[in-house]
Amino acid sequence: MELLKGKEASEAIKKQLLSQTQTLKQKKLRLPHLAAILVGNNGASETYVANKVKNCEEIGLTSSLIRFDEKLSESQLLNKVQELNNDENIDGILVQLPLPKHIIEQKVINLINPAKDVDGFHPVNIGKLVQGSPTFIPATPYGIILLMQYYNIEAQGKHAVVIGRSNIVGRPVSILLSSNQTYGNATVTLCHSHTPNLKELSLQADILVAALGKPGFVTGDMVKNDAVVIDVGITRVQDATAKKGFRIRGDVNFDEVSSKASYITPVPGGVGVMTIAALLKNTMHAYLMRNNLTEDIFSE
Ligand code: GUN
């Protein structure tokens, strides 16, 4: 078994992005700017957004964290998104999900300028993803693809089983792995809470992606020998012995599955850190596109 070390792969990506922002500075160009909106005080969301902002700083991207009380009205949030759309100096807009119940998430996502939608959640960008056209790939699926590429794991000809059909992870992962792209060409089975014969299907997986948000759900008896196992779960589980009062647990029972898998992602240090690296890449991509630049600028 080999660990798919997201930390190592994400550091390599961040190093490249740092060198790119340094080049932009030398050329006296404006730096890419990510604006992140956080509504309310959801502990996990606070941590994720803080990490995103911290990582921007590390690689020299400009970032703004815009915080709102959870009582913020939907129209106030829509106004803010529109303001960021109109701000020429903002390249990427990220609205951290979930939003409070009184705000319709899709309405907010739909308003984000697709050219600044670094989360890749806007219907235009999802449409392009389905078509196989260039677009912003949502950060977690993109992070998974980048991690597989870092370890030279090919999906071509393999049977990939994805557990979980969320718009953020499961569904886009299933589209990417089945797409006619270098990182795709797998045969994909997308499973969810209404799949009756889940174990029968998961046992067929050469690549198993667990993205359902249920700690320890995937047990050793559900995994084929030498499978590649990608654990997307990052659930906070109460633990009085832990410093913060909780531990982060993945969707995979690591102890049982790691002895069978050929490759497996650890939690933490696997997919989570790759998600941030992918978001940073998307932000740089948005900046280049909006300024009619290509990556050639970094080698000129
Ligand atoms: N909540 C959980 N994952 C994500 C993500 O990738 N982007 C945003 N905006 N919110 C999330």
Side-chain angles (χ1 to χ4, degrees):
M1 179 276 293
E2 192 175 341
L3 278 181
L4 295 172
K5 294 179 187 151
K7 200 153 179 351
E8 194 179 304
S10 66
E11 286 304 329
I13 292 166
K14 281 164 58 184
K15 204 168 149 197
Q16 190 193 27
L17 287 165
L18 174 63
S19 123
Q20 293 180 341
T21 58
Q22 283 169 342
T23 305
L24 296 175
K25 265 188 214 160
Q26 279 159 12
K27 293 182 185 283
K28 306 218 177 315
L29 291 167
R30 179 180 70 77
L31 294 173
H33 189 157
L34 174 70
I37 298 180
L38 175 61
V39 184
N41 299 91
N42 177 310
S45 290
E46 295 223 12
T47 308
Y48 300 152
V49 174
N51 267 332
K52 289 171 186 179
V53 169
K54 180 171 141 267
N55 276 270
C56 280
E57 279 164 17
E58 278 173 20
I59 60 151
L61 292 187
T62 310
S63 63
S64 300
L65 171 55
I66 302 153
R67 295 200 62 150
F68 290 111
D69 185 89
E70 67 176 357
K71 294 202 182 75
L72 172 88
S73 72
E74 186 181 85
S75 64
Q76 282 172 312
L77 181 55
L78 292 171
N79 285 343
K80 188 67 199 181
V81 169
Q82 193 57 58
E83 193 187 301
L84 296 171
N85 280 343
N86 295 337
D87 186 338
E88 278 306 311
N89 290 319
I90 299 288
D91 300 291
I93 302 171
L94 176 159
V95 181
Q96 187 65 26
L97 305 178
L99 289 169
K101 294 237 170 343
H102 65 278
I103 299 178
I104 300 173
E105 285 181 355
Q106 201 57 51
K107 217 163 154 181
V108 179
I109 291 166
N110 289 1
L111 186 65
I112 298 173
N113 176 352
K116 297 189 179 189
D117 171 37
V118 286
D119 260 327
F121 293 165
H122 190 282
V124 165
N125 289 325
I126 293 170
K128 288 184 182 174
L129 185 88
V130 174
Q131 280 183 332
S133 303
T135 185
F136 298 109
I137 302 175
T140 304
Y142 191 17
I144 292 170
I145 297 294
L146 290 168
L147 186 59
M148 288 173 63
Q149 286 178 336
Y150 185 80
Y151 282 92
N152 293 318
I153 296 169
E154 288 196 1
Q156 172 145 326
K158 307 264 175 66
H159 183 190
V161 175
V162 180
I163 311 177
R165 58 177 159 182
S166 72
N167 286 339
I168 295 181
V169 188
R171 195 172 300 279
V173 163
S174 71
I175 292 164
L176 291 166
L177 290 177
S178 61
S179 70
N180 183 12
Q181 307 281 343
T182 48
Y183 49 74
N185 290 321
T187 302
V188 176
T189 303
L190 180 57
C191 303
H192 47 76
S193 52
H194 291 270
T195 303
N197 54 340
L198 188 65
K199 183 174 164 186
E200 200 179 296
L201 294 164
S202 70
L203 274 169
Q204 294 173 31
D206 302 309
I207 299 171
L208 183 63
V209 182
L212 70 162
K214 288 198 177 159
F217 180 87
V218 176
T219 45
D221 60 330
M222 295 169 71
V223 178
K224 183 167 90 168
N225 280 333
D226 293 330
V228 175
V229 180
I230 313 276
D231 187 351
V232 187
I234 33 168
T235 308
R236 290 180 170 199
V237 176
Q238 305 266 14
D239 184 341
T241 66
K243 228 192 323 183
K244 293 180 180 162
F246 64 85
R247 286 188 198 283
I248 301 293
R249 287 206 51 207
D251 288 348
V252 175
N253 180 326
F254 186 88
D255 291 342
E256 286 183 24
V257 174
S258 56
S259 56
K260 295 183 98 177
S262 57
Y263 292 93
I264 185 167
T265 57
V267 176
V271 173
V273 280
M274 291 306 293
T275 297
I276 294 186
L279 172 72
L280 301 175
K281 268 178 89 70
N282 277 348
T283 305
M284 177 62 83
H285 181 60
Y287 167 87
L288 293 174
M289 299 263 289
R290 294 188 61 251
N291 288 286
N292 289 319
L293 296 169
T294 65
E295 298 231 344
D296 290 348
I297 189 164
F298 303 123
S299 48
E300 279 164 3

